[in-house]
Each structure stands twice: as C-alpha cells, then as structure tokens.
Amino acid sequence: MKPAPFHWHAPTTLAEAAALLAEYAPQDGRVLAGGQSLLPAMALRIARPPHLVDINRVAGLDLLEVVDGVLRIGAVVRHAAFLREAAPGPLGALLAAVARHIAHWPIRQRGTFCGSLCHADPAAEWPLVAAVLDAVMVAHSLRGDRRIAAAAFQRGLLDTALEPDELLRAVELPLLAADARFGFEEVSRRAGDFAQAMALAVLRRGPDGRVTEARLGLGGVEPAPRRFPQAEAMLRGAIPDAALIDAAAHSVAQAAQPMEDEGYRRALTRTVVQRALLQACA
Amino acid sequence: MSEHAVTLRVNGIAHRLQLPARRSLADALRDGCGLTGTHLGCEHGVCGACTVLLDGVPVRACLMLAVQAEGAEIRTVEGLAQGATLHPLQQAFIDHHALQCGFCTPGFLMLAVAMLEEDPDMPEAEMVHRLSSNLCRCTGYANILKAVQAAAAAMAR
Ligand SMILES: Cc1cc2nc3c(=O)[nH]c(=O)nc-3n(C[C@H](O)[C@H](O)[C@H](O)COP(=O)(O)OP(=O)(O)OC[C@H]3O[C@@H](n4cnc5c(N)ncnc54)[C@H](O)[C@@H]3O)c2cc1C
Ligand code: FES
Ligand code: FES
C-alpha cells in the first residue's frame, strides 16, 4: 500500500530539526532517518504520522569518529558503514560481524544505527550491542543535550526513554581493549530476518587464562535485550572450559523470560549463548 | 499535505516532477518518469523487486521518498543496455535461464550490477549472501547465481 498523506520537513541544521520536533511532536510528528522501519509501517498504515522531520540533510549527523577512546556514531550513520571496520581493534571487528546480520544489503545502505535503537525492536541487533557494551545515548531537543545510559534507554517492546520531541543525535560506544575477544551468534528463520534469539559475549582473560572481564547479553527473546550479571559473575575469575560455558548458558536460559514459545526460546537461548561464549574463548 | 517540485536524475537524464511527499521513489520512477522497468512487489522492503542504484549503491526504491532522491544519481534497469547491446548481466540472465516470469529480474539485475561494480572478483559465498537480499518465486536462485558468475567472468575478459 501507499503511506497516508503527510507534510515533509527537511531541516539542514540540528537547531532547525529540534524546533520542528518541538512544534510537531505533540501532533504525532516523527523523525525520519533511514526510513527502513518507519516507511514500511506507514505503507502498511500501522503508522500515520501527519508530519515527518527528515534528518538526512542535517549537517554533522553523518559523523562517525573516535574521540578519547569512544566511537561516536551520528544519527544518520548507516548500517553499511560498519560492514568495513569502523573502529580500531576488536570493536570494529565486532560491529562488522554483527552488521552482516541486519536485514539485507540494500536495506543496510539506508537504515541507521541510531534509528534501530529508537525503533527498539526486541529482535534488532544494534540494541543488543548497545546494551552489552554500555553505550551512552545522546538525545537532543530545544532543552539541550541529555545523556542516557543504554540500560535505561530501551524500556521494552518498541519503547524507549526518548521524549517525543527528542532526537537521538548520537550514540557513544567505548572502544574495546586490544585483548578483548567477542562471540556473536544468531538464529533467524531466513537470511536477513530478525533474530529469534541472539547472544553477544565479550571476554578478556589474563595470562593464566582466567576471565578478568565478562559481558554477556541476550536479544530477541525478552522485550528488550540486556546483560545477564549472574552468568557474567560465574565466568569472572574462572577458566572457561566446556562445563563452565554450558553452566553459564544454562543460567541465562533459566533467567530469561521469553515473550513467546517459552520452551523453544529457552532451548535456543542456551544454544546461542553457548556458541557465542565458545567463539569468544576460541 | 505537502507538494514538492523535484528533479530526479535517472540514467543521466533530468526529470522535473511535481509530487506529494508520500510518493515513493519507485512510484515516481514508474508514474512520473515513465520508467516502468522498476517493479513493485511488496511495497514494504521485503522482496527487492524495486531495487535501484542511488549514487552507486543498491536501495529499495519503495522505502525512499522521491523527494529524498533530489540531487542523487539514480540508475534503473532501463540504463543497462547500450542501444541494442545488452549489458553482460542481462545477456547472462538470458543465457543461464535466470528468469521465468521476469517480475523479479530488474531488481536482481540492479543488485548484481552493484555487486560486480563493488567487487568484480566476488567470492561465491559472498555472492550468495548479497543475492539473498531479493526474492524470486520462479527460479530457485541457482541459475541467478550462475548468471552472475558468468557475467563476472565475461566482464573480466
Ligand atoms: C525487510 C527488512 C528486514 C529487516 N531486518 C532487520 C534485522 O534483521 N535486524 C534489524 O535490526 N533491523 C532490521 N530491519 C530494520 C532496519 O534495520 C531499520 O533500518 C531500523 O530498524 C530503523 O532504522 P532507520 O534509520 O531506518 O529508522 P526509521 O525507519 O527512519 O525510523 C524508525 C523509528 O525510529 C525513529 N527514529 C529514527 N531515528 C531517530 C533519531 N535519530 N531520533 C529519534 N527518533 C528516531 C523514527 O521516528 C521511527 O519511529 C529490517 C527492515 C526491513 C525493511
Ligand atoms: S517492492 Fe520494494 S522491496 Fe518489495
Ligand atoms: S523470475 Fe519469476 S519471480 Fe523471479
């Protein structure tokens, strides 16, 4: 189908975009970024925003840069920007590995990292990355900038901490230490589909093989992706052998609260967490 | 609702159009420019029949507004043949039976053009990954892959 009629606004500065959002957000005006989630929803008439504030021409929002050990991702940086390593060290490799799982190649040319976080689909990949790596979201409105921790950002299914008049201007991801190792595993029905379950593990280990830092997250199963502190604590200080990895995966599968297909999703959870940890230990 | 004057540059030719903001790039190409080679299947990003190149990269023309394409170089299937000479990919699709009904073909051709322009020596596994972007209900994909490989070989000569 075709979207319902709307007014299109194409600001070229952040100040203009914030002013337009202040004016139109109360009338259900929305930000248009890559359009790869919003335009399908409008074509299906699930969404009928009367105003779109298109941020694609706003100067400066396409910046992707490393400043003081942090990768700063501007609001219109596309998924495709991460297919080639966009950051030094393991972070660049991690983002490149994950980006290949997001939708299809042409959709990755338009869809944005920040748009994916704002859309907050429980099965989207970037929100899991943001949760596991403790990203910081930088929201902007006429009131100025507001920094939001990843754990407080995605509140649930398609629900974030953003106010209607706020624009997510950038996301900050801390670089990973050179000795960090990651594992990412996803199960989806077809290539390019959203995940039925996915896990991301990032480990650092000392010279004796003991885990010094553990980050472990699950997406696609609960309404929002999150870390599992209990399983992370099991890994920390230990040498991760097959038995410990299985125990940690079991612990995540037990703690998870699947939205649907409970038995199947728990089994899948155990599998993806186990595989992600094995990759991170390889 | 907002109406806009837009100039679309398609296959090197400027088309001046007056259209509402909600008009997709795909509909503007078909109805505004008269270029009906770009097909519309699902109109919500799933099938890839509408794939065109925007400044050299493939996009879903149903998931872009025509007003957003102002200033970009757009390439569609109509721009592939040089006069009576088909593009090597078009010829390879015929030679390798990479189409039956042909509905998906313009999208696959533009996808494959972008693939081979990015990497003329693309490994098979990567070709399969990229081709999984679009749907074909007839061929079963194997012949599409064969055609793209044959075109890559022909273009290397
Ligand atoms: C066929 C298909 C398959 C897909 N598969 C996957 C997949 O496997 N994994 C995956 O993660 N995604 C998938 N997607 C979605 C895609 O990744 C989208 O690009 C992404 O979800 C949204 O980003 P966008 O820039 O396109 O946002 P838009 O569609 O422009 O916007 C989405 C929502 O976020 C809001 N928004 C966007 N940017 C901002 C901002 N900076 N500040 C405030 N609000 C904002 C909009 O108002 C809107 O409500 C798929 C899409 C399609 C069509
Ligand atoms: S018509 Fe555009 S993807 Fe199906
Ligand atoms: S040839 Fe019929 S859909 Fe592909």
Side-chain angles (χ1 to χ4, degrees):
Chain A
M1 275 201 304
K2 320 289 180 192
F6 57 85
H7 290 279
W8 177 67
H9 308 273
T12 54
T13 65
L14 191 62
E16 235 183 298
L20 284 163
L21 275 174
E23 185 174 354
Y24 295 119
Q27 305 167 39
D28 197 27
R30 301 264 196 101
V31 171
L32 175 64
Q36 305 300 289
S37 291
L38 184 53
L39 293 179
M42 289 170 64
L44 296 166
R45 305 278 173 118
I46 298 166
R48 309 175 68 128
H51 293 271
L52 288 187
V53 179
D54 184 339
I55 59 173
N56 285 280
R57 294 178 189 178
V58 173
L61 291 187
D62 58 349
L63 275 187
L64 177 63
E65 57 184 1
V66 176
V67 184
D68 297 335
V70 168
L71 179 68
R72 195 173 159 99
I73 304 164
V76 302
V77 173
R78 320 279 168 186
H79 304 318
F82 301 96
L83 294 172
R84 287 198 193 86
E85 301 199 354
L91 180 62
L94 185 160
L95 296 172
V98 172
R100 285 179 71 81
H101 290 267
I102 300 173
H104 310 285
W105 183 41
I107 291 169
R108 292 178 208 139
Q109 308 294 337
R110 296 291 302 168
T112 66
F113 185 99
C114 292
S116 180
L117 291 171
C118 294
H119 187 59
D121 191 298
E125 287 82 359
W126 292 139
L128 172 64
V129 170
V132 170
L133 302 186
D134 286 324
V136 174
M137 321 296 178
V138 187
H140 184 79
S141 68
L142 287 183
R143 300 178 294 285
D145 276 355
R146 180 164 77 99
R147 296 171 67 83
I148 308 167
F153 187 76
Q154 189 165 340
R155 291 187 173 154
L157 189 83
L158 308 180
D159 184 20
T160 71
L162 283 182
E163 297 295 334
D165 67 341
E166 278 181 321
L167 173 78
L168 182 61
R169 70 183 293 186
V171 172
E172 296 177 354
L173 287 177
L175 294 185
L176 291 172
D179 61 358
R181 296 286 173 270
F182 73 90
F184 176 74
E185 183 71 20
E186 167 170 334
V187 172
S188 59
R189 284 215 173 94
R190 290 157 301 204
D193 272 10
F194 281 98
Q196 292 197 304
M198 63 185 153
L200 176 63
V202 181
L203 300 180
R204 289 180 74 189
R205 296 164 76 180
D208 57 356
R210 287 184 192 281
V211 173
T212 53
E213 193 183 320
R215 294 170 176 272
L216 183 58
L218 174 73
V221 175
E222 299 186 329
R226 64 172 171 111
R227 291 172 67 178
F228 283 74
Q230 206 185 328
E232 290 174 351
M234 290 167 73
L235 294 161
R236 218 170 286 127
I239 293 178
D241 58 9
L244 179 61
I245 286 174
D246 189 51
H250 182 70
S251 138
V252 175
Q254 287 311 302
Q257 299 289 324
M259 287 180 287
E260 53 186 15
D261 300 337
E262 196 179 330
Y264 173 61
R265 295 301 176 100
R266 278 194 209 283
L268 216 50
T269 296
R270 187 167 177 171
T271 303
V272 293
V273 172
Q274 193 172 33
R275 289 181 187 166
L277 283 171
L278 283 170
Q279 285 172 34
C281 291
Chain B
M1 300 290 130
S2 59
E3 279 272 335
H4 305 267
V6 177
T7 302
L8 294 184
R9 273 190 73 79
V10 191
N11 304 323
I13 295 166
H15 297 259
R16 267 170 271 286
L17 307 172
Q18 182 77 23
L19 37 76
R22 68 167 172 158
R23 181 85 79 244
S24 74
L25 174 59
D27 280 337
L29 289 169
R30 292 176 56 83
D31 303 338
C33 307
L35 297 168
T36 53
T38 299
H39 290 173
L40 278 160
C42 66
E43 298 191 297
H44 60 262
V46 176
C47 73
C50 64
T51 306
V52 300
L53 303 194
L54 185 87
D55 291 329
V57 298
V59 296
R60 305 287 212 222
C62 70
L63 294 190
M64 261 194 86
L65 305 175
V67 287
Q68 295 183 297
E70 173 110 51
E73 275 307 325
I74 300 157
R75 287 161 64 197
T76 67
V77 71
E78 287 89 348
L80 291 184
Q82 299 295 316
T85 311
L86 293 180
H87 186 281
L89 272 161
Q90 290 174 305
Q91 191 59 51
F93 267 55
I94 296 171
D95 296 343
H96 294 269
H97 306 287
L99 62 144
Q100 288 179 29
C101 78
F103 191 85
C104 68
T105 310
F108 268 106
L109 284 170
M110 299 318 289
L111 184 71
V113 165
M115 284 164 52
L116 296 185
E117 284 180 0
E118 182 189 307
D119 180 4
D121 297 319
M122 190 172 281
E124 178 171 324
E126 184 64 21
M127 280 189 180
V128 170
H129 175 77
R130 305 273 181 124
L131 289 171
S132 76
S133 303
N134 288 13
L135 294 179
C136 173
R137 299 295 278 155
C138 300
T139 63
Y141 306 100
N143 287 352
I144 294 178
L145 176 63
K146 271 187 215 154
V148 177
Q149 287 173 319
M155 288 161 79
R157 276 200 293 276

